[in-house]
Amino acid sequence: MHTRTRGSGTLRHAVAAAMTVAALTGGVLASAPTAVAAVPAVDCTVTPLRCPVIAPIGGATDVALDGTGKAYVSTNSGNLYEVVNLQGDDKPGLLVTGLGDAVGLALDGEGHAYVVNRGGVLHRVDLKTRAVTPVATGLGHGVKVALDRQGHAYVADLSGGILWRIALADGSKTPVATPRLKDAKGVALDGRGRAYVSSKSGSLYEVDLDNGFSRRVLVDWPDENTPGVAVTGSGTVVLSTRGGHLYEVDPESGRVRLAARNLGDAFGMTVDVKGDVYITQWAQGKLVKVTGAVRPGPSPGGGLEVTAVPAITAVPGGKAVPRVKVTNRTTSAIGSQDIRLTLGPAHVGWDYNVIYQDRQGGIIETPCTVDRVDRTTSLCRNVPLELAPGQSTELRTEVQVSKEARPCELPSLAWHIADKRAKSDWLMLNRDGSRPRC
């Protein structure tokens, strides 16, 4: 057990230690129920295989995943690296330099990285062309940055205790959280109108982005420097500390769990859809993966956008390949989803009954099962979307078209993903494949 003393109070860290959680509403400090961690924490010293080094990167300060198997890492020397192999022992590729003391990093899912430095400058980096563009200045002592889906960046300002909202279109900035957020360092968004701001002095703030005056202190740990903060798909807040600890915080109940320890100087942190955590160890100069430390919970699907791909055709007696584009419009990663397919009213039957998607040069197949009662419906379980915020993937399947289908008809297939529905239809051509006059 490790004990830290401040005045007459004591803060104890252990795998199953009780932790005091405070809630601050309207300036009144109220004690919340004591939370006890029931699941053993990952100890990187005891089980080093669960904490493999992905890449050596000097002065690594922050990390972001692009959802396709690559990571990007910023450094205090102003560099931005690309790490292609997340299986371990990779040699990172240097993308750009000259970003200042670049301590915060976020990806927009559209080919850009946003990097904030301690000089209060937010840069946009085009990951394809490597062009660097200043977006905003005057952000105080910027530490971490997060992006929403409405064209804004949020930057935590350590010196001013401010959470800034920056319009990415013109660089204009607005202070969101008032009064002052003491020692603000990390920031993460939950996609439902709330920001979580961690601090150098150990507080975790919950901020209503529509009304910055509405805020709570979820956690208050004296002297626990917590620069890393992330939100999982299920809404759990994850914190990393420079003392080498990783915590899960349930923002609804206030329960806290020690998820991992002996992580080194864990200055930057992000969580993938499987619950694996990626840590940048600033002092040790490493990117480290901590496997299975966090419970990711059910993957959300309510923020998906599903649109049918147009201009699909087929011939009578042949096959049609209906397709949809699926886009993650939330600020959290989305993992696997169950998908239900429903055949059109006539002239369509199941073929291989598989959902296909192209990923990293290969084809991923997810088998589907036809309902025993309703033969027009098929269920495809755990289709691996694996979408970072803003990312898209295209899904397709194959269906058999009846010989009785006539030219100019529009048979269809409906896709049901989470709470979204899209209908793929296709134009029936002439039997020789020529386009009919409809």
Side-chain angles (χ1 to χ4, degrees), residues 57-78:
I57 301 176
T61 54
D62 209 358
V63 56
L65 305 176
D66 74 349
T68 67
K70 291 189 292 186
Y72 293 84
V73 176
S74 58
T75 74
N76 67 332
S77 58

Side-chain angles (χ1 to χ4, degrees), residues 165 176-178 193 207-215:
R165 179 192 288 123
V176 176
T178 53
V207 179
D208 186 330
L209 294 177
D210 293 325
N211 180 7
F213 290 97
S214 177
R215 65 187 182 110

Side-chain angles (χ1 to χ4, degrees), residues 206-230:
E206 180 186 77
V207 179
D208 186 330
L209 294 177
D210 293 325
N211 180 7
F213 290 97
S214 177
R215 65 187 182 110
R216 296 189 296 161
V217 176
L218 293 180
V219 173
D220 192 12
W221 297 326
D223 297 328
E224 184 70 277
N225 192 333
T226 58
V229 59

Side-chain angles (χ1 to χ4, degrees), residues 116-127:
V116 67
N117 63 34
R118 290 183 184 273
V121 180
L122 178 66
H123 289 101
R124 179 191 297 114
V125 179
D126 188 312
L127 297 175

Side-chain angles (χ1 to χ4, degrees), residues 41-48 50-53 60 225 228 238-248 257-271 276-294:
V42 175
D43 190 319
C44 291
T45 300
V46 177
T47 56
R50 294 189 64 180
C51 309
V53 175
N225 192 333
V238 183
L239 293 171
S240 67
T241 79
R242 300 200 72 174
H245 296 97
L246 188 75
Y247 296 102
E248 285 183 314
R257 183 179 81 90
L258 178 62
R261 57 186 175 182
N262 289 320
L263 298 173
D265 185 5
F267 192 84
M269 177 268 297
T270 191
V271 183
D276 294 334
V277 181
Y278 291 80
I279 299 283
T280 50
Q281 298 176 335
W282 186 345
Q284 292 78 28
K286 299 175 184 177
L287 173 63
V288 175
K289 177 181 178 180
V290 185
T291 59
V294 171

Side-chain angles (χ1 to χ4, degrees), residues 330-411:
T330 75
T331 58
S332 301
I334 293 179
S336 298
Q337 292 287 319
D338 292 346
I339 298 177
R340 184 159 50 90
L341 305 175
T342 304
L343 294 173
H347 299 153
V348 189
W350 300 114
D351 192 60
Y352 290 109
N353 201 16
V354 173
I355 286 180
Y356 303 92
Q357 57 182 311
D358 297 316
R359 287 286 178 129
Q360 299 181 15
I363 298 176
I364 295 177
E365 301 180 6
T366 304
C368 309
T369 303
V370 177
D371 189 281
R372 293 183 178 180
V373 178
D374 181 4
R375 304 298 293 177
T376 66
T377 298
S378 183
L379 183 62
C380 318
R381 292 204 176 272
N382 296 316
V383 179
L385 301 181
E386 310 297 343
L387 295 174
Q391 284 194 317
S392 300
T393 188
E394 186 176 284
L395 308 177
R396 66 182 186 275
T397 189
E398 296 182 10
V399 294
Q400 186 67 41
V401 181
S402 169
K403 293 181 180 180
E404 282 71 39
R406 296 178 178 274
C408 295
E409 284 187 352
L410 290 171

Side-chain angles (χ1 to χ4, degrees), residues 58-352:
T61 54
D62 209 358
V63 56
L65 305 176
D66 74 349
T68 67
K70 291 189 292 186
Y72 293 84
V73 176
S74 58
T75 74
N76 67 332
S77 58
N79 296 335
L80 179 64
Y81 290 91
E82 179 184 61
V83 182
V84 176
N85 178 19
L86 297 184
Q87 302 307 310
D89 196 24
D90 190 24
K91 183 178 181 180
L94 178 61
L95 290 180
V96 299
T97 61
L99 297 173
D101 189 349
V103 287
L105 167 66
L107 303 180
D108 66 0
E110 298 175 0
H112 305 101
Y114 287 83
V115 180
V116 67
N117 63 34
R118 290 183 184 273
V121 180
L122 178 66
H123 289 101
R124 179 191 297 114
V125 179
D126 188 312
L127 297 175
K128 182 177 292 185
T129 67
R130 306 189 183 188
V132 178
T133 306
V135 176
T137 59
L139 301 173
H141 185 158
V143 183
K144 298 296 182 185
V145 58
L147 304 176
D148 66 13
R149 294 297 105 205
Q150 290 77 47
H152 303 102
Y154 291 82
V155 171
D157 172 6
L158 176 64
S159 59
I162 299 171
L163 178 62
W164 294 101
R165 179 192 288 123
I166 300 101
L168 297 178
D170 61 10
S172 59
K173 60 184 185 292
T174 307
V176 176
T178 53
R180 186 172 183 264
L181 303 175
K182 186 175 183 290
D183 296 329
K185 265 198 162 183
V187 57
L189 309 180
D190 72 350
R192 295 181 288 274
R194 293 176 294 191
Y196 293 93
V197 180
S198 60
S199 73
K200 182 178 180 180
S201 54
S203 298
L204 172 64
Y205 301 93
E206 180 186 77
V207 179
D208 186 330
L209 294 177
D210 293 325
N211 180 7
F213 290 97
S214 177
R215 65 187 182 110
R216 296 189 296 161
V217 176
L218 293 180
V219 173
D220 192 12
W221 297 326
D223 297 328
E224 184 70 277
N225 192 333
T226 58
V229 59
V231 181
T232 70
S234 60
T236 300
V237 182
V238 183
L239 293 171
S240 67
T241 79
R242 300 200 72 174
H245 296 97
L246 188 75
Y247 296 102
E248 285 183 314
V249 181
D250 183 337
E252 304 303 326
S253 68
R255 291 188 176 276
V256 180
R257 183 179 81 90
L258 178 62
R261 57 186 175 182
N262 289 320
L263 298 173
D265 185 5
F267 192 84
M269 177 268 297
T270 191
V271 183
D272 69 12
V273 295
K274 298 178 182 178
D276 294 334
V277 181
Y278 291 80
I279 299 283
T280 50
Q281 298 176 335
W282 186 345
Q284 292 78 28
K286 299 175 184 177
L287 173 63
V288 175
K289 177 181 178 180
V290 185
T291 59
V294 171
R295 298 162 295 183
S299 181
L304 288 174
E305 178 181 276
V306 184
T307 55
V309 176
I312 298 172
T313 60
V315 298
K319 296 178 182 178
V321 185
R323 304 190 298 278
V324 290
K325 180 182 179 182
V326 182
T327 305
N328 180 0
R329 295 300 184 191
T330 75
T331 58
S332 301
I334 293 179
S336 298
Q337 292 287 319
D338 292 346
I339 298 177
R340 184 159 50 90
L341 305 175
T342 304
L343 294 173
H347 299 153
V348 189
W350 300 114
D351 192 60
Y352 290 109

